[in-house]
Amino acid sequence: MMDWTDTHCRVFHRILAPGALLYTEMVHANAVIHGNRERLLARDASEQPVALQLGGSDPELLAQATRISAEHGFDEVNLNCGCPSDRVQAGRFGACLMREPALVAECVAAMREAVADLATPVPVTVKCRLGVDEDSEWERFAGFVDTVAAAGCDTFVVHARNAWLKGLSPRENREVPPLRPEWAYRLKQERPGLTIWLNGGIADPASATAHLAHVDGVMLGRAAYHDPYLLHRLHAAWTGTALQERGDLLRALRPHVQAELERGLALKHIVRHVLGLFQGQPGGRAFRRILSEGAHLPGADWALVEEALAATRRDRFAA
C-alpha cells in the first residue's frame, strides 16, 4: 500500500471503521531515521490505533526507527517480510527475508529492546508470506514463524500465498500465486498462543467473517481502498450497529479537509482516497469524474465534494 495509506487516507478510514487497527504504508527504517519525519510519520490523533509498517533488514537501524516511531505515538510497529517488489529485494528486505528467519528474529529482538524501557512498550509484529518462489513445505513456513516467535513476536499477519521474487510483478504477486488460508488456520490451531491475522483475497464481509472462525483477525488492503465502504459494512456487521449513508460518512471528513486546506494543502491530496466510495452505485462514475477533474484546480474546496455528492443523488433518483 505504498503511496496510498497516508494520514488523509487513514483519517477517512477511521470514520468508516471506528474500531479497526489501521496501518501506514511501508516506510524504510533509513527514511524514518534520516528522512522528513513530518511527512513520513504524519499522524492525526483521530487515527488511533495505528501501526507503522517498517521495511529493512538491519537490526540496529530497525531498532532506531522503532524507537522513533513509538515516540511519535504509533501503537504498533510491524516489520514487513512480505513485499515482493524488485526495489525491496534489492535492499534485502520484504519477502526475501522469509529465507532468513534468524535475521528476522535478530531484527525483532532489537526492535523490542529499543522500546522495552517505555512506560507502555509498543508491540512489534511481523507481516509475512507463506514462502517465496517454489517453497511449498509447511515445515519451512512454520519454522520461520517459530524462530521469529522465539525472539518475542507473538503476532503474525499472514498473506496466505507465496511471493515470487522473479517473474511476477507486484500486482501479479497479489493475484497469481494460489491462496492457502488453511495454512494460517493450521498455524493458529497448532500455536494457539500466537495471534494470527489473515491477509489476501478478502473482498467481502461474508468471507472476512468466515475466516474469523479460524484466525484472530483479518487484514484488508486494496479491496478496502478501492471500495472503502466495505470497511464500514464490516464495522456494522461486527459491531451490530446500523449502516450510515455514504454521503454522511464523507461529510464527517469535512473538518479534516477544511483544516488541511487552511494549511495550504491542495484538495486533490485528500479526495484521491475517497474516489471509490460510491463504487458500483448509481452516480459513482460521475462522483469520481467530478473529483478527479476538479480537485487539482486552484481554489478547489469542499464545494466540489458537495457537487460530486449531488451527482450521486441525481443518478439515484433517475434510476
Side-chain angles (χ1 to χ4, degrees):
M1 304 297 287
M2 294 175 68
D3 300 322
W4 288 14
T5 51
D6 62 16
T7 185
H8 311 300
C9 173
R10 298 191 304 266
V11 168
F12 180 49
H13 285 183
R14 173 60 66 223
I15 292 169
L16 298 170
L21 172 63
L22 302 178
Y23 274 66
T24 70
E25 59 188 323
M26 182 174 65
V27 183
H28 194 278
N30 266 326
V32 172
I33 297 168
H34 303 294
N36 182 348
R37 295 178 192 170
E38 183 178 352
R39 178 179 63 83
L40 293 170
L41 302 183
R43 182 183 59 83
D44 188 271
S46 68
E47 295 177 32
Q48 290 182 282
V50 59
L52 179 77
Q53 187 171 90
L54 282 178
S57 59
D58 183 303
E60 182 178 345
L61 295 180
L62 285 166
Q64 292 181 51
T66 297
R67 180 72 184 210
I68 293 168
S69 304
E71 290 173 345
H72 275 71
F74 288 94
D75 302 283
E76 176 184 313
V77 176
N78 178 266
L79 177 61
N80 186 301
C81 298
C83 182
S85 76
D86 291 341
R87 182 174 60 173
V88 164
Q89 291 180 55
R92 195 189 170 204
F93 63 102
C96 61
L97 288 175
M98 294 291 298
R99 287 183 169 157
E100 299 190 69
L103 175 59
V104 177
E106 185 181 352
C107 291
V108 166
M111 294 163 74
R112 285 169 46 81
E113 178 63 27
V115 293
D117 64 333
L118 297 179
T120 306
V122 298
V124 174
T125 65
V126 166
K127 186 173 189 286
C128 64
R129 296 276 186 135
L130 301 182
V132 294
D133 296 334
E134 296 177 347
D135 293 344
S136 59
E137 301 85 9
W138 161 261
E139 291 74 17
R140 184 192 293 265
F141 169 63
F144 172 88
V145 171
D146 289 342
T147 299
V148 178
C153 177
D154 61 7
T155 299
F156 292 82
V157 181
V158 180
H159 186 158
R161 66 171 101 230
N162 278 29
W164 284 83
L165 302 183
K166 300 294 181 184
L168 293 181
S169 69
R171 178 176 180 176
E172 290 169 329
N173 258 295
R174 297 190 298 270
E175 300 170 353
V176 175
L179 283 164
R180 289 180 285 177
E182 64 275 9
W183 279 35
Y185 298 170
R186 179 179 175 182
L187 188 65
K188 179 60 184 180
Q189 184 178 30
E190 296 185 1
R191 292 153 178 79
L194 296 179
T195 298
I196 306 299
W197 289 57
L198 180 68
N199 173 234
I202 303 170
D204 61 83
S207 62
T209 302
H211 289 311
L212 292 185
H214 308 281
V215 292
D216 299 293
V218 296
M219 172 187 277
L220 280 70
R222 283 162 178 78
Y225 188 89
H226 293 306
D227 179 12
Y229 198 64
L230 171 59
L231 282 177
H232 185 63
R233 291 166 62 202
L234 277 172
H235 169 74
W238 291 354
T239 61
T241 54
L243 282 170
Q244 297 182 52
E245 293 288 335
R246 289 171 170 82
D248 292 339
L249 291 164
L250 182 53
R251 288 190 177 94
L253 185 65
R254 181 172 182 173
H256 177 76
V257 172
Q258 300 281 61
E260 293 299 317
L261 292 177
E262 290 173 6
R263 291 179 57 239
L265 188 73
L267 183 66
K268 64 180 181 180
H269 296 299
I270 306 176
V271 299
R272 70 187 182 99
H273 301 301
V274 311
L275 295 178
L277 182 60
F278 286 87
Q279 178 75 22
Q281 299 297 303
R285 184 174 298 179
F287 176 82
R288 292 190 298 274
R289 177 182 55 77
I290 291 169
L291 292 180
S292 298
E293 293 178 357
H296 70 283
L297 299 175
D301 59 15
W302 186 259
L304 183 73
V305 180
E306 290 293 344
E307 179 184 345
L309 285 172
T312 69
R313 292 193 295 272
R314 286 195 301 269
D315 279 22
R316 192 183 316 145
F317 294 141

